[in-house]
Structure formats: C-alpha cells, structure tokens
Amino acid sequence: MATRDPLSAALSALADPTRRAILARLADGAITVNELARPFGISLPAVSRHLKVLETAGLISRGREAQWRPCRLETATLKTVDDWLSAYRRFWTGSFDKMDAYLAEIQAKAKEK
C-alpha cells in the first residue's frame, strides 16, 4: 500500500467530526485517553482508533509518564494544512472584497433612485 503524503493524511484525519472534537480538547493541553473519551458517547477502543488515526497523520503524539499516558496536540502538521489553505484563503478574501464592492455599488444606485 502506498504511503499518503502528510497533507492528505491530515485532511483525511480532519474529515471526521469526532477527531476534530478531540483536537479541540487537546488545544487546551495534554490529557489522558480516559479524559478525552469522557464527553463522547463511544467506547474507549473507538476513541483509541480515532487517536491512532490522528497520531498516524502527525496531528497528535502520545507519551508515557509513569501511569499517565498523555495525548498532545502536534501543531506542525496543522501548520502544513494552514499553509496549504492560505492560497485559498486569499482567493476567498479577494472574492468577498469584490462582493462587498459590488453590494456597495448596488446600494449607492438604489439610494440614487
């Protein structure tokens, strides 16, 4: 099986709402799998499978500190996704600026009438 590029792996991992919610929880700091699983209505093995996908994509890391097994957000992969999206962000920003100018023009014409 061919290995996917890091961006494809990250985007695939981010496609799932549960995994995005896990990342949002990890944005506040490292926590254990049990703490991560608490708000979700799924089993610990299901949470572990989600974590494995996130870890494989480079979005999280899992450590080992005595009895504690913390999960941490890894920001480098998110930066890669953000860098890729930045070109599209510029496109949308430009499109919205054009739309704002067009709406202002329409409103000005409506006031003239």
Side-chain angles (χ1 to χ4, degrees):
M1 179 175 169
T3 359
R4 290 191 291 179
D5 66 283
L7 180 61
S8 294
L11 291 172
S12 179
L14 292 169
D16 184 273
T18 301
R19 291 193 282 267
R20 290 192 306 270
I22 289 170
L23 290 180
R25 294 205 66 215
L26 290 174
D28 293 332
I31 56 176
T32 65
V33 175
N34 285 334
E35 291 170 317
L36 273 172
R38 216 169 270 137
F40 302 105
I42 57 178
S43 67
L44 277 175
V47 170
S48 290
R49 285 190 295 275
H50 283 296
L51 293 175
K52 181 67 176 167
V53 171
L54 291 168
E55 187 176 29
T56 300
L59 292 163
I60 68 163
S61 61
R62 293 193 270 187
R64 192 174 253 185
E65 297 172 14
Q67 296 291 331
W68 199 53
R69 306 244 187 299
C71 296
R72 290 182 177 80
L73 185 64
E74 293 296 331
T75 58
T77 302
L78 288 173
K79 170 109 175 64
T80 301
V81 172
D82 185 56
D83 290 346
W84 180 78
L85 287 170
S86 68
Y88 298 97
R89 190 176 300 114
R90 285 191 297 274
F91 167 77
W92 283 111
T93 301
S95 295
F96 288 135
D97 290 346
K98 288 176 189 175
M99 184 173 63
D100 286 343
Y102 178 70
L103 291 173
E105 181 183 324
I106 290 174
Q107 290 171 343
K109 286 180 183 178
K111 285 182 183 179
E112 290 174 4
K113 291 182 182 182

